[in-house]
Amino acid sequence: MGERTEWTARGGQTVEVDYPGPARTVVLTVTADGPAEITVRAGGADGTELYRGKGGWSVLVPPERQRELRRITAAGVKRWQLRLHDPAAAAELTGEVTGTGPRVLVHPGGTAAVDVTHRSSARDVQLFRLVRPTADGDREVLATNEHFGRDDRSRNWTLVLEGPQVLVVEQGESWSLTGRPADLPPSTETVRYGVGDRREVFAWPDGKGSVLLEVEAVDGVLLGLEDHAGRTLQFVHARAENGVQRLLVWADPARRALGPFRGEVLRSRRGWRLELLPVEDARELVGRVDGTGHDVLAYTGPPAVLRAWSLTDAASSVKVEAGAWRIATGYGGPQEWGGAMPVGGPSEPDEPEQVRVESGGRWRLEVVPLAALPTFDRRLVGRGADVVRWAGPPGRLTVRTTRRRGGLVEATVLDERLNPLGVTSTYGRRRHEPVELPHGRPVAVRTWGHDVRWRLVVR
């Protein structure tokens, strides 16, 4: 810039900044020696607090703010540095840019994906922070890492940049940023395309209750869903090998009216797609259905029993939920039995029951009529979740586990429309009150743990 651009000071000292003339927008960065907590103020030691945190701080300073930010003080460290950077002289992110310590870079425009890597081999704490200064004096943190240890470590991110903007590496031992074209279709209110980590905000569509979210990712993603207040709705791993996957996003009407929900994509360095769909687009669950990964199915048939299996060749669990019922496999081999549960019971009028499946691999669901339930007329021993029918005379049902610490087991007596008539439960060898069991009634056994063994006793 031709003028003085760098100052060094001790903690608590104030630096009088000489901004360049003629007046133009610059980037001001404050960096500390080491990862210490610093407090940056404008107007001297008793002035306005601008930043409080570890390491460095940066701000985009247009001409109209230079008077306000003329006197800068950083406290909490022995030494600190202040630098002025001219965005016009910064490196363009059209290829790979590497460095150590603070640096200002410019994305010239268009849409690009930027791969960010921070490597650390230091024996003490090392900080890395990449930010995007905003015109109002704030800054958006795009990537940050705090590393402590003796081993060489690296952390990677991928960002999507749209339109001209300034980026600032506030600090970092060894970093690289590589820009590449991001050839993405245009996003809409219901369809979002992206590369790398990103947070998307979706308005709730018209209607009530549930909505489907379809996920497709080239290299798989972790996807966190939150409501307007930040409450977690779901957190799932959508694997690339499972192809297109669907999630059920639900919120009661009162919460929907308060604000949109958010989807945060994590641990992705390649392309992905998120799409909102009406819940009516869920495929129908009839007879036997095979699937992969996460899916949502609609059941519109009469009261029945749903059975589940894992079909994966490697260790992978399968979790199935419908209404208040849930069954799950462990992490065993292929053809593992996942259990059985009621489906098609009491629900909202004229609405199908949504069956939610979460899995890392292949699975199978099968709908079995209540008339085909296995029967028992004496003590019955089983494992995991199951549904059976009592064929003996009326009696009183209790459930027990086969081990001293066998886990929690619950047995529910149902009518033919799957309404609960009574519940008995146990934990370990502790007995609970028995429940009346009329002749011919279905009994649904629910366990907390897929491998819990139990025994039904009727007297």
Side-chain angles (χ1 to χ4, degrees):
M1 292 191 297
E3 301 90 356
R4 184 177 182 184
T5 60
E6 185 171 337
W7 292 260
T8 300
R10 302 189 67 82
Q13 289 184 327
T14 298
V15 169
E16 296 279 347
V17 183
D18 296 325
Y19 287 98
R24 58 189 183 275
T25 297
V26 296
V27 176
L28 181 151
T29 66
V30 173
T31 58
D33 290 343
E37 292 273 349
I38 64 171
T39 301
V40 181
R41 297 181 180 276
D46 298 324
T48 304
E49 183 175 303
L50 302 173
Y51 170 74
R52 182 191 297 265
K54 287 186 177 181
W57 173 78
S58 64
V59 63
L60 194 68
V61 188
E64 58 269 22
R65 291 203 67 197
Q66 291 176 9
R67 181 182 181 87
E68 171 194 350
L69 301 180
R70 179 73 62 181
R71 304 175 72 240
I72 301 296
T73 303
V77 291
K78 291 183 179 180
R79 283 165 48 90
W80 57 278
Q81 297 81 37
L82 185 148
R83 296 181 177 89
L84 295 181
H85 308 267
D86 186 352
E92 287 193 0
L93 274 175
T94 54
E96 183 181 25
V97 180
T98 62
T100 295
R103 185 80 175 273
V104 176
L105 307 105
V106 170
H107 171 54
T111 302
V114 178
D115 296 321
V116 183
T117 299
H118 172 231
R119 298 180 181 88
S120 177
S121 59
R123 297 190 178 187
D124 57 358
V125 177
Q126 285 292 323
L127 298 178
F128 170 78
R129 191 183 296 117
L130 175 69
V131 304
R132 174 165 48 199
T134 57
D136 60 0
D138 201 351
R139 79 205 207 291
E140 178 185 1
V141 178
L142 302 177
T144 183
N145 184 37
E146 181 173 342
H147 169 69
F148 177 83
R150 296 173 179 269
D151 300 330
D152 289 346
R153 298 286 179 87
S154 65
R155 177 82 187 275
N156 302 305
W157 304 262
T158 296
L159 314 170
V160 174
L161 304 179
E162 298 174 326
Q165 53 194 282
V166 175
L167 305 180
V168 179
V169 179
E170 289 188 338
Q171 60 189 103
E173 180 189 359
S174 178
W175 51 262
S176 68
L177 280 74
T178 304
R180 52 188 170 89
D183 192 12
L184 298 174
S187 294
T188 66
E189 288 187 4
T190 58
V191 184
R192 308 294 169 83
Y193 297 93
V195 176
D197 295 358
R198 186 159 176 163
R199 173 172 286 191
E200 295 287 349
V201 178
F202 289 95
W204 290 101
D206 295 336
K208 62 178 182 178
S210 306
V211 63
L212 296 182
L213 182 63
E214 193 167 84
V215 184
E216 184 177 17
V218 175
D219 60 351
V221 297
L222 291 177
L223 179 63
L225 302 178
E226 300 176 344
D227 67 9
H228 70 284
R231 186 184 68 168
T232 299
L233 301 175
Q234 284 189 70
F235 192 82
V236 299
H237 183 193
R239 299 177 182 272
E241 58 268 25
N242 291 333
V244 178
Q245 299 169 75
R246 288 182 171 183
L247 310 175
L248 186 71
V249 187
W250 183 88
D252 61 76
R255 283 194 171 273
R256 288 169 58 110
L258 294 175
F261 74 92
R262 301 187 289 265
E264 186 167 6
V265 178
L266 302 170
R267 296 189 184 179
S268 173
R269 305 203 72 180
R270 302 178 69 185
W272 46 262
R273 173 180 64 88
L274 304 179
E275 181 172 359
L276 280 185
L277 298 170
V279 72
E280 291 77 15
D281 282 9
R283 61 171 171 158
E284 191 172 1
L285 174 57
V286 179
R288 179 178 293 181
V289 175
D290 289 357
T292 304
H294 303 272
D295 205 352
V296 180
L297 302 99
Y299 180 70
T300 57
V305 170
L306 181 63
R307 296 173 174 171
W309 291 265
S310 169
L311 303 182
T312 58
D313 297 327
S316 178
S317 68
V318 176
K319 182 173 72 174
V320 185
E321 294 183 347
W325 296 92
R326 174 185 180 275
I327 54 179
T329 70
Y331 286 85
Q335 308 297 325
E336 184 183 1
W337 166 245
M341 67 180 183
V343 68
S347 60
E348 294 292 329
D350 304 322
E351 284 195 10
E353 184 161 21
Q354 280 102 31
V355 178
R356 306 172 296 283
V357 185
E358 293 185 12
S359 175
R362 296 183 301 116
W363 44 263
R364 173 172 295 163
L365 303 181
E366 183 180 27
V367 177
V368 178
L370 292 181
L373 282 179
T375 62
F376 74 109
D377 57 5
R378 58 186 66 185
R379 295 185 179 187
L380 179 68
V381 176
R383 177 177 69 90
D386 207 348
V387 184
V388 294
R389 186 184 294 276
W390 172 241
R396 291 165 66 82
L397 171 70
T398 57
V399 60
R400 305 174 186 176
T401 55
T402 58
R403 292 179 295 178
R404 182 177 298 275
R405 297 181 179 178
L408 178 61
V409 182
E410 184 180 271
T412 304
V413 178
L414 305 169
D415 66 13
E416 296 303 315
R417 296 189 59 81
L418 303 182
N419 293 296
L421 302 178
V423 179
T424 183
S425 62
T426 189
Y427 183 83
R429 292 188 175 181
R430 184 175 59 186
R431 298 184 181 182
H432 287 251
E433 289 296 319
V435 63
E436 296 294 330
L437 179 58
H439 169 76
R441 294 301 188 186
V443 177
V445 180
R446 182 180 350 207
T447 64
W448 279 256
H450 72 282
D451 199 35
V452 175
R453 297 181 181 275
W454 45 261
R455 181 170 67 252
L456 298 180
V457 179
V458 184
R459 293 181 179 175

